[in-house]
mmCIF file of all heavy atoms in Angstrom:
data_model
loop_
_atom_site.group_PDB
_atom_site.id
_atom_site.type_symbol
_atom_site.label_atom_id
_atom_site.label_comp_id
_atom_site.label_asym_id
_atom_site.label_seq_id
_atom_site.Cartn_x
_atom_site.Cartn_y
_atom_site.Cartn_z
ATOM 1 N N TYR A 973 405.713 40.354 -5.199
ATOM 2 C CA TYR A 973 405.301 38.971 -5.011
ATOM 3 C C TYR A 973 405.805 38.427 -3.686
ATOM 4 O O TYR A 973 406.935 38.702 -3.283
ATOM 5 C CB TYR A 973 405.865 38.087 -6.133
ATOM 6 C CG TYR A 973 405.302 38.406 -7.479
ATOM 7 C CD1 TYR A 973 406.001 39.199 -8.371
ATOM 8 C CD2 TYR A 973 404.066 37.911 -7.866
ATOM 9 C CE1 TYR A 973 405.495 39.491 -9.618
ATOM 10 C CE2 TYR A 973 403.541 38.201 -9.114
ATOM 11 C CZ TYR A 973 404.262 38.990 -9.980
ATOM 12 O OH TYR A 973 403.752 39.280 -11.207
ATOM 13 N N ARG A 974 404.944 37.675 -3.008
ATOM 14 C CA ARG A 974 405.291 36.840 -1.864
ATOM 15 C C ARG A 974 404.609 35.510 -2.134
ATOM 16 O O ARG A 974 403.661 35.463 -2.919
ATOM 17 C CB ARG A 974 404.730 37.415 -0.557
ATOM 18 C CG ARG A 974 405.297 38.726 -0.161
ATOM 19 C CD ARG A 974 404.864 39.168 1.248
ATOM 20 N NE ARG A 974 403.686 38.531 1.792
ATOM 21 C CZ ARG A 974 402.641 39.182 2.283
ATOM 22 N NH1 ARG A 974 402.619 40.484 2.279
ATOM 23 N NH2 ARG A 974 401.622 38.533 2.779
ATOM 24 N N PRO A 975 405.025 34.460 -1.485
ATOM 25 C CA PRO A 975 404.340 33.180 -1.714
ATOM 26 C C PRO A 975 402.840 33.307 -1.434
ATOM 27 O O PRO A 975 402.422 33.685 -0.350
ATOM 28 C CB PRO A 975 405.013 32.231 -0.716
ATOM 29 C CG PRO A 975 406.378 32.821 -0.514
ATOM 30 C CD PRO A 975 406.178 34.309 -0.606
ATOM 31 N N GLY A 976 402.031 33.058 -2.452
ATOM 32 C CA GLY A 976 400.586 33.076 -2.314
ATOM 33 C C GLY A 976 399.912 34.403 -2.565
ATOM 34 O O GLY A 976 398.689 34.474 -2.603
ATOM 35 N N VAL A 977 400.670 35.496 -2.757
ATOM 36 C CA VAL A 977 400.040 36.814 -2.923
ATOM 37 C C VAL A 977 400.930 37.734 -3.767
ATOM 38 O O VAL A 977 402.145 37.677 -3.703
ATOM 39 C CB VAL A 977 399.727 37.456 -1.545
ATOM 40 C CG1 VAL A 977 400.985 37.836 -0.801
ATOM 41 C CG2 VAL A 977 398.810 38.630 -1.681
ATOM 42 N N ALA A 978 400.261 38.566 -4.564
ATOM 43 C CA ALA A 978 400.939 39.609 -5.335
ATOM 44 C C ALA A 978 400.187 40.921 -5.081
ATOM 45 O O ALA A 978 398.957 40.923 -4.977
ATOM 46 C CB ALA A 978 400.936 39.287 -6.819
ATOM 47 N N THR A 979 400.915 42.032 -4.961
ATOM 48 C CA THR A 979 400.284 43.332 -4.750
ATOM 49 C C THR A 979 400.797 44.329 -5.780
ATOM 50 O O THR A 979 401.927 44.234 -6.250
ATOM 51 C CB THR A 979 400.567 43.892 -3.338
ATOM 52 O OG1 THR A 979 401.978 43.985 -3.135
ATOM 53 C CG2 THR A 979 399.950 43.024 -2.259
ATOM 54 N N GLU A 980 399.923 45.268 -6.109
ATOM 55 C CA GLU A 980 400.248 46.308 -7.087
ATOM 56 C C GLU A 980 399.641 47.627 -6.596
ATOM 57 O O GLU A 980 398.454 47.681 -6.269
ATOM 58 C CB GLU A 980 399.649 45.934 -8.433
ATOM 59 C CG GLU A 980 399.741 47.014 -9.473
ATOM 60 C CD GLU A 980 398.953 46.669 -10.730
ATOM 61 O OE1 GLU A 980 398.078 45.787 -10.694
ATOM 62 O OE2 GLU A 980 399.209 47.322 -11.748
ATOM 63 N N LEU A 981 400.444 48.674 -6.541
ATOM 64 C CA LEU A 981 399.948 49.994 -6.165
ATOM 65 C C LEU A 981 399.104 50.564 -7.298
ATOM 66 O O LEU A 981 399.559 50.660 -8.429
ATOM 67 C CB LEU A 981 401.108 50.941 -5.853
ATOM 68 C CG LEU A 981 400.735 52.378 -5.511
ATOM 69 C CD1 LEU A 981 399.930 52.448 -4.224
ATOM 70 C CD2 LEU A 981 401.983 53.237 -5.411
ATOM 71 N N LEU A 982 397.847 50.911 -7.003
ATOM 72 C CA LEU A 982 396.960 51.492 -8.010
ATOM 73 C C LEU A 982 396.920 53.012 -7.941
ATOM 74 O O LEU A 982 396.779 53.687 -8.953
ATOM 75 C CB LEU A 982 395.538 50.948 -7.846
ATOM 76 C CG LEU A 982 395.355 49.455 -8.065
ATOM 77 C CD1 LEU A 982 393.896 49.072 -7.833
ATOM 78 C CD2 LEU A 982 395.806 49.042 -9.446
ATOM 79 N N GLY A 983 397.008 53.564 -6.737
ATOM 80 C CA GLY A 983 396.958 55.015 -6.590
ATOM 81 C C GLY A 983 397.214 55.437 -5.158
ATOM 82 O O GLY A 983 397.058 54.652 -4.225
ATOM 83 N N ARG A 984 397.622 56.691 -5.005
ATOM 84 C CA ARG A 984 397.865 57.220 -3.663
ATOM 85 C C ARG A 984 397.599 58.709 -3.639
ATOM 86 O O ARG A 984 397.662 59.381 -4.677
ATOM 87 C CB ARG A 984 399.264 56.911 -3.176
ATOM 88 C CG ARG A 984 400.372 57.675 -3.861
ATOM 89 C CD ARG A 984 401.738 57.582 -3.190
ATOM 90 N NE ARG A 984 402.075 56.279 -2.710
ATOM 91 C CZ ARG A 984 403.228 55.658 -2.934
ATOM 92 N NH1 ARG A 984 404.157 56.248 -3.643
ATOM 93 N NH2 ARG A 984 403.456 54.471 -2.469
ATOM 94 N N CYS A 985 397.254 59.188 -2.463
ATOM 95 C CA CYS A 985 397.081 60.607 -2.205
ATOM 96 C C CYS A 985 397.611 60.856 -0.795
ATOM 97 O O CYS A 985 398.065 59.922 -0.139
ATOM 98 C CB CYS A 985 395.610 61.013 -2.350
ATOM 99 S SG CYS A 985 394.549 60.460 -1.017
ATOM 100 N N PRO A 986 397.579 62.084 -0.280
ATOM 101 C CA PRO A 986 398.100 62.327 1.069
ATOM 102 C C PRO A 986 397.355 61.572 2.175
ATOM 103 O O PRO A 986 397.871 61.432 3.277
ATOM 104 C CB PRO A 986 397.936 63.827 1.254
ATOM 105 C CG PRO A 986 397.885 64.396 -0.113
ATOM 106 C CD PRO A 986 397.237 63.341 -0.957
ATOM 107 N N TYR A 987 396.162 61.062 1.893
ATOM 108 C CA TYR A 987 395.334 60.470 2.944
ATOM 109 C C TYR A 987 395.270 58.946 2.924
ATOM 110 O O TYR A 987 395.007 58.331 3.952
ATOM 111 C CB TYR A 987 393.915 61.032 2.857
ATOM 112 C CG TYR A 987 393.926 62.536 2.865
ATOM 113 C CD1 TYR A 987 393.674 63.241 1.708
ATOM 114 C CD2 TYR A 987 394.226 63.235 4.021
ATOM 115 C CE1 TYR A 987 393.704 64.630 1.699
ATOM 116 C CE2 TYR A 987 394.268 64.617 4.028
ATOM 117 C CZ TYR A 987 394.005 65.312 2.859
ATOM 118 O OH TYR A 987 394.053 66.670 2.865
ATOM 119 N N PHE A 988 395.445 58.328 1.778
ATOM 120 C CA PHE A 988 395.380 56.870 1.700
ATOM 121 C C PHE A 988 396.062 56.363 0.436
ATOM 122 O O PHE A 988 396.366 57.138 -0.477
ATOM 123 C CB PHE A 988 393.935 56.357 1.772
ATOM 124 C CG PHE A 988 393.056 56.830 0.647
ATOM 125 C CD1 PHE A 988 392.958 56.106 -0.525
ATOM 126 C CD2 PHE A 988 392.321 57.996 0.774
ATOM 127 C CE1 PHE A 988 392.150 56.542 -1.559
ATOM 128 C CE2 PHE A 988 391.501 58.437 -0.244
ATOM 129 C CZ PHE A 988 391.420 57.706 -1.422
ATOM 130 N N GLU A 989 396.297 55.048 0.405
ATOM 131 C CA GLU A 989 396.833 54.350 -0.758
ATOM 132 C C GLU A 989 395.892 53.193 -1.090
ATOM 133 O O GLU A 989 395.283 52.612 -0.198
ATOM 134 C CB GLU A 989 398.213 53.768 -0.465
ATOM 135 C CG GLU A 989 399.253 54.794 -0.129
ATOM 136 C CD GLU A 989 400.569 54.160 0.287
ATOM 137 O OE1 GLU A 989 400.583 52.995 0.731
ATOM 138 O OE2 GLU A 989 401.581 54.848 0.169
ATOM 139 N N VAL A 990 395.811 52.857 -2.378
ATOM 140 C CA VAL A 990 394.982 51.733 -2.808
ATOM 141 C C VAL A 990 395.860 50.760 -3.584
ATOM 142 O O VAL A 990 396.541 51.139 -4.537
ATOM 143 C CB VAL A 990 393.798 52.187 -3.692
ATOM 144 C CG1 VAL A 990 392.983 50.991 -4.157
ATOM 145 C CG2 VAL A 990 392.917 53.176 -2.950
ATOM 146 N N TYR A 991 395.830 49.511 -3.141
ATOM 147 C CA TYR A 991 396.580 48.444 -3.783
ATOM 148 C C TYR A 991 395.606 47.398 -4.314
ATOM 149 O O TYR A 991 394.529 47.206 -3.755
ATOM 150 C CB TYR A 991 397.509 47.745 -2.785
ATOM 151 C CG TYR A 991 398.667 48.592 -2.331
ATOM 152 C CD1 TYR A 991 398.509 49.528 -1.318
ATOM 153 C CD2 TYR A 991 399.919 48.456 -2.909
ATOM 154 C CE1 TYR A 991 399.564 50.303 -0.889
ATOM 155 C CE2 TYR A 991 400.988 49.224 -2.484
ATOM 156 C CZ TYR A 991 400.805 50.148 -1.479
ATOM 157 O OH TYR A 991 401.854 50.917 -1.063
ATOM 158 N N ARG A 992 396.014 46.720 -5.368
ATOM 159 C CA ARG A 992 395.297 45.526 -5.815
ATOM 160 C C ARG A 992 396.077 44.351 -5.257
ATOM 161 O O ARG A 992 397.300 44.275 -5.388
ATOM 162 C CB ARG A 992 395.254 45.447 -7.334
ATOM 163 C CG ARG A 992 394.511 44.211 -7.830
ATOM 164 C CD ARG A 992 394.313 44.279 -9.318
ATOM 165 N NE ARG A 992 395.583 44.209 -10.009
ATOM 166 C CZ ARG A 992 395.855 43.372 -11.011
ATOM 167 N NH1 ARG A 992 394.919 42.575 -11.456
ATOM 168 N NH2 ARG A 992 397.022 43.370 -11.577
ATOM 169 N N MET A 993 395.380 43.446 -4.584
ATOM 170 C CA MET A 993 396.025 42.288 -3.978
ATOM 171 C C MET A 993 395.412 41.020 -4.557
ATOM 172 O O MET A 993 394.196 40.834 -4.503
ATOM 173 C CB MET A 993 395.831 42.313 -2.455
ATOM 174 C CG MET A 993 396.563 41.206 -1.745
ATOM 175 S SD MET A 993 396.596 41.409 0.047
ATOM 176 C CE MET A 993 394.961 40.870 0.469
ATOM 177 N N LEU A 994 396.258 40.189 -5.144
ATOM 178 C CA LEU A 994 395.828 38.921 -5.727
ATOM 179 C C LEU A 994 396.251 37.795 -4.788
ATOM 180 O O LEU A 994 397.443 37.579 -4.577
ATOM 181 C CB LEU A 994 396.458 38.717 -7.096
ATOM 182 C CG LEU A 994 396.153 39.804 -8.123
ATOM 183 C CD1 LEU A 994 397.011 39.618 -9.367
ATOM 184 C CD2 LEU A 994 394.689 39.804 -8.468
ATOM 185 N N LEU A 995 395.267 37.118 -4.229
ATOM 186 C CA LEU A 995 395.504 36.015 -3.298
ATOM 187 C C LEU A 995 395.293 34.714 -4.052
ATOM 188 O O LEU A 995 394.249 34.514 -4.680
ATOM 189 C CB LEU A 995 394.527 36.116 -2.124
ATOM 190 C CG LEU A 995 394.568 35.020 -1.082
ATOM 191 C CD1 LEU A 995 395.859 35.102 -0.271
ATOM 192 C CD2 LEU A 995 393.360 35.126 -0.166
ATOM 193 N N ASN A 996 396.273 33.828 -4.010
ATOM 194 C CA ASN A 996 396.164 32.535 -4.681
ATOM 195 C C ASN A 996 396.948 31.519 -3.865
ATOM 196 O O ASN A 996 398.142 31.325 -4.079
ATOM 197 C CB ASN A 996 396.697 32.607 -6.108
ATOM 198 C CG ASN A 996 396.429 31.334 -6.877
ATOM 199 O OD1 ASN A 996 395.719 30.457 -6.411
ATOM 200 N ND2 ASN A 996 397.013 31.237 -8.060
ATOM 201 N N THR A 997 396.280 30.899 -2.903
ATOM 202 C CA THR A 997 396.956 29.949 -2.019
ATOM 203 C C THR A 997 396.566 28.528 -2.376
ATOM 204 O O THR A 997 395.492 28.264 -2.904
ATOM 205 C CB THR A 997 396.607 30.220 -0.546
ATOM 206 O OG1 THR A 997 395.195 30.154 -0.380
ATOM 207 C CG2 THR A 997 397.087 31.599 -0.121
ATOM 208 N N GLN A 998 397.454 27.633 -2.064
ATOM 209 C CA GLN A 998 397.204 26.203 -2.278
ATOM 210 C C GLN A 998 396.521 25.634 -1.048
ATOM 211 O O GLN A 998 396.151 26.364 -0.137
ATOM 212 C CB GLN A 998 398.538 25.494 -2.545
ATOM 213 C CG GLN A 998 399.304 26.072 -3.710
ATOM 214 C CD GLN A 998 398.553 25.964 -5.025
ATOM 215 O OE1 GLN A 998 397.877 24.972 -5.282
ATOM 216 N NE2 GLN A 998 398.658 26.978 -5.866
ATOM 217 N N ARG A 999 396.386 24.335 -0.984
ATOM 218 C CA ARG A 999 395.655 23.683 0.104
ATOM 219 C C ARG A 999 396.089 24.136 1.497
ATOM 220 O O ARG A 999 395.275 24.528 2.304
ATOM 221 C CB ARG A 999 395.830 22.176 0.030
ATOM 222 C CG ARG A 999 395.006 21.552 -1.018
ATOM 223 C CD ARG A 999 395.146 20.081 -0.928
ATOM 224 N NE ARG A 999 394.279 19.481 -1.926
ATOM 225 C CZ ARG A 999 394.006 18.229 -1.977
ATOM 226 N NH1 ARG A 999 394.534 17.415 -1.109
ATOM 227 N NH2 ARG A 999 393.207 17.758 -2.913
ATOM 228 N N ARG A 1000 397.346 24.027 1.811
ATOM 229 C CA ARG A 1000 397.811 24.321 3.168
ATOM 230 C C ARG A 1000 398.517 25.664 3.276
ATOM 231 O O ARG A 1000 398.901 26.068 4.362
ATOM 232 C CB ARG A 1000 398.747 23.222 3.641
ATOM 233 C CG ARG A 1000 398.026 21.911 3.740
ATOM 234 C CD ARG A 1000 398.898 20.851 4.287
ATOM 235 N NE ARG A 1000 398.135 19.607 4.332
ATOM 236 C CZ ARG A 1000 398.667 18.433 4.433
ATOM 237 N NH1 ARG A 1000 399.967 18.315 4.513
ATOM 238 N NH2 ARG A 1000 397.910 17.365 4.469
ATOM 239 N N GLN A 1001 398.702 26.335 2.190
ATOM 240 C CA GLN A 1001 399.404 27.603 2.194
ATOM 241 C C GLN A 1001 398.481 28.705 2.721
ATOM 242 O O GLN A 1001 397.300 28.746 2.398
ATOM 243 C CB GLN A 1001 399.863 27.940 0.785
ATOM 244 C CG GLN A 1001 400.697 29.178 0.689
ATOM 245 C CD GLN A 1001 401.091 29.440 -0.756
ATOM 246 O OE1 GLN A 1001 400.383 29.057 -1.677
ATOM 247 N NE2 GLN A 1001 402.216 30.084 -0.945
ATOM 248 N N ILE A 1002 399.025 29.598 3.550
ATOM 249 C CA ILE A 1002 398.279 30.748 4.047
ATOM 250 C C ILE A 1002 399.133 31.988 3.876
ATOM 251 O O ILE A 1002 400.344 31.912 3.757
ATOM 252 C CB ILE A 1002 397.867 30.591 5.534
ATOM 253 C CG1 ILE A 1002 399.103 30.387 6.406
ATOM 254 C CG2 ILE A 1002 396.862 29.496 5.727
ATOM 255 C CD1 ILE A 1002 398.831 30.444 7.872
ATOM 256 N N VAL A 1003 398.485 33.140 3.858
ATOM 257 C CA VAL A 1003 399.175 34.417 3.747
ATOM 258 C C VAL A 1003 398.911 35.200 5.031
ATOM 259 O O VAL A 1003 397.765 35.334 5.454
ATOM 260 C CB VAL A 1003 398.667 35.205 2.513
ATOM 261 C CG1 VAL A 1003 399.210 36.617 2.516
ATOM 262 C CG2 VAL A 1003 399.035 34.482 1.241
ATOM 263 N N LYS A 1004 399.966 35.695 5.652
ATOM 264 C CA LYS A 1004 399.827 36.510 6.857
ATOM 265 C C LYS A 1004 399.537 37.953 6.441
ATOM 266 O O LYS A 1004 400.132 38.457 5.492
ATOM 267 C CB LYS A 1004 401.092 36.458 7.698
ATOM 268 C CG LYS A 1004 401.369 35.092 8.248
ATOM 269 C CD LYS A 1004 402.653 35.089 9.045
ATOM 270 C CE LYS A 1004 402.949 33.692 9.559
ATOM 271 N NZ LYS A 1004 404.196 33.653 10.313
ATOM 272 N N TYR A 1005 398.640 38.601 7.174
ATOM 273 C CA TYR A 1005 398.247 39.977 6.853
ATOM 274 C C TYR A 1005 398.039 40.729 8.156
ATOM 275 O O TYR A 1005 397.446 40.201 9.091
ATOM 276 C CB TYR A 1005 396.949 39.972 6.036
ATOM 277 C CG TYR A 1005 396.512 41.338 5.588
ATOM 278 C CD1 TYR A 1005 396.996 41.883 4.417
ATOM 279 C CD2 TYR A 1005 395.628 42.078 6.347
ATOM 280 C CE1 TYR A 1005 396.601 43.141 4.003
ATOM 281 C CE2 TYR A 1005 395.222 43.334 5.948
ATOM 282 C CZ TYR A 1005 395.716 43.860 4.769
ATOM 283 O OH TYR A 1005 395.326 45.108 4.370
ATOM 284 N N ARG A 1006 398.508 41.974 8.200
ATOM 285 C CA ARG A 1006 398.375 42.763 9.421
ATOM 286 C C ARG A 1006 398.428 44.251 9.084
ATOM 287 O O ARG A 1006 399.204 44.675 8.245
ATOM 288 C CB ARG A 1006 399.502 42.417 10.375
ATOM 289 C CG ARG A 1006 399.380 43.101 11.691
ATOM 290 C CD ARG A 1006 400.459 42.679 12.633
ATOM 291 N NE ARG A 1006 400.093 43.182 13.949
ATOM 292 C CZ ARG A 1006 400.575 42.740 15.052
ATOM 293 N NH1 ARG A 1006 401.459 41.779 15.039
ATOM 294 N NH2 ARG A 1006 400.204 43.258 16.196
ATOM 295 N N ALA A 1007 397.607 45.039 9.763
ATOM 296 C CA ALA A 1007 397.683 46.492 9.640
ATOM 297 C C ALA A 1007 398.821 46.975 10.537
ATOM 298 O O ALA A 1007 399.106 46.371 11.573
ATOM 299 C CB ALA A 1007 396.364 47.132 10.067
ATOM 300 N N ASP A 1008 399.466 48.071 10.144
ATOM 301 C CA ASP A 1008 400.532 48.593 10.990
ATOM 302 C C ASP A 1008 399.943 49.335 12.196
ATOM 303 O O ASP A 1008 398.727 49.444 12.337
ATOM 304 C CB ASP A 1008 401.488 49.472 10.193
ATOM 305 C CG ASP A 1008 400.830 50.682 9.577
ATOM 306 O OD1 ASP A 1008 399.787 51.122 10.083
ATOM 307 O OD2 ASP A 1008 401.359 51.194 8.585
ATOM 308 N N SER A 1009 400.805 49.851 13.038
ATOM 309 C CA SER A 1009 400.327 50.489 14.270
ATOM 310 C C SER A 1009 399.789 51.898 14.044
ATOM 311 O O SER A 1009 399.166 52.467 14.940
ATOM 312 C CB SER A 1009 401.452 50.532 15.301
ATOM 313 O OG SER A 1009 402.524 51.311 14.803
ATOM 314 N N LEU A 1010 399.979 52.466 12.853
ATOM 315 C CA LEU A 1010 399.580 53.853 12.610
ATOM 316 C C LEU A 1010 398.247 54.021 11.900
ATOM 317 O O LEU A 1010 397.602 55.056 12.039
ATOM 318 C CB LEU A 1010 400.661 54.560 11.786
ATOM 319 C CG LEU A 1010 402.042 54.622 12.418
ATOM 320 C CD1 LEU A 1010 403.028 55.257 11.459
ATOM 321 C CD2 LEU A 1010 401.994 55.367 13.739
ATOM 322 N N SER A 1011 397.824 53.020 11.124
ATOM 323 C CA SER A 1011 396.606 53.232 10.338
ATOM 324 C C SER A 1011 395.831 51.932 10.116
ATOM 325 O O SER A 1011 396.380 50.839 10.224
ATOM 326 C CB SER A 1011 396.941 53.860 8.992
ATOM 327 O OG SER A 1011 397.723 52.983 8.222
ATOM 328 N N PHE A 1012 394.576 52.084 9.786
ATOM 329 C CA PHE A 1012 393.690 50.964 9.511
ATOM 330 C C PHE A 1012 393.903 50.461 8.087
ATOM 331 O O PHE A 1012 394.584 51.088 7.287
ATOM 332 C CB PHE A 1012 392.234 51.394 9.689
ATOM 333 C CG PHE A 1012 391.798 52.421 8.686
ATOM 334 C CD1 PHE A 1012 391.265 52.035 7.468
ATOM 335 C CD2 PHE A 1012 391.939 53.777 8.942
ATOM 336 C CE1 PHE A 1012 390.874 52.972 6.525
ATOM 337 C CE2 PHE A 1012 391.555 54.725 8.008
ATOM 338 C CZ PHE A 1012 391.013 54.320 6.803
ATOM 339 N N ARG A 1013 393.247 49.351 7.780
ATOM 340 C CA ARG A 1013 393.200 48.812 6.426
ATOM 341 C C ARG A 1013 391.771 48.382 6.131
ATOM 342 O O ARG A 1013 391.030 48.003 7.032
ATOM 343 C CB ARG A 1013 394.098 47.589 6.268
ATOM 344 C CG ARG A 1013 395.553 47.807 6.633
ATOM 345 C CD ARG A 1013 396.383 48.013 5.415
ATOM 346 N NE ARG A 1013 397.758 48.272 5.735
ATOM 347 C CZ ARG A 1013 398.754 47.420 5.525
ATOM 348 N NH1 ARG A 1013 398.508 46.237 5.018
ATOM 349 N NH2 ARG A 1013 399.988 47.750 5.813
ATOM 350 N N VAL A 1014 391.397 48.432 4.879
ATOM 351 C CA VAL A 1014 390.104 47.916 4.419
ATOM 352 C C VAL A 1014 390.389 46.975 3.262
ATOM 353 O O VAL A 1014 391.095 47.332 2.323
ATOM 354 C CB VAL A 1014 389.163 49.057 3.957
ATOM 355 C CG1 VAL A 1014 387.892 48.488 3.364
ATOM 356 C CG2 VAL A 1014 388.864 50.003 5.103
ATOM 357 N N LEU A 1015 389.861 45.762 3.357
ATOM 358 C CA LEU A 1015 389.981 44.789 2.280
ATOM 359 C C LEU A 1015 388.617 44.629 1.633
ATOM 360 O O LEU A 1015 387.665 44.200 2.277
ATOM 361 C CB LEU A 1015 390.444 43.434 2.820
ATOM 362 C CG LEU A 1015 391.868 43.357 3.325
ATOM 363 C CD1 LEU A 1015 392.132 41.992 3.940
ATOM 364 C CD2 LEU A 1015 392.847 43.627 2.201
#
């Protein structure tokens, strides 16, 4: 848990990982998101 978001690991293999991400922000609340320098992300 982080303010506004919860994540859960669903599965992984040597090539990728899949998480479930629940976003629930209030009026002015935002969640920062960024891919690391080594790999892409797909939402």
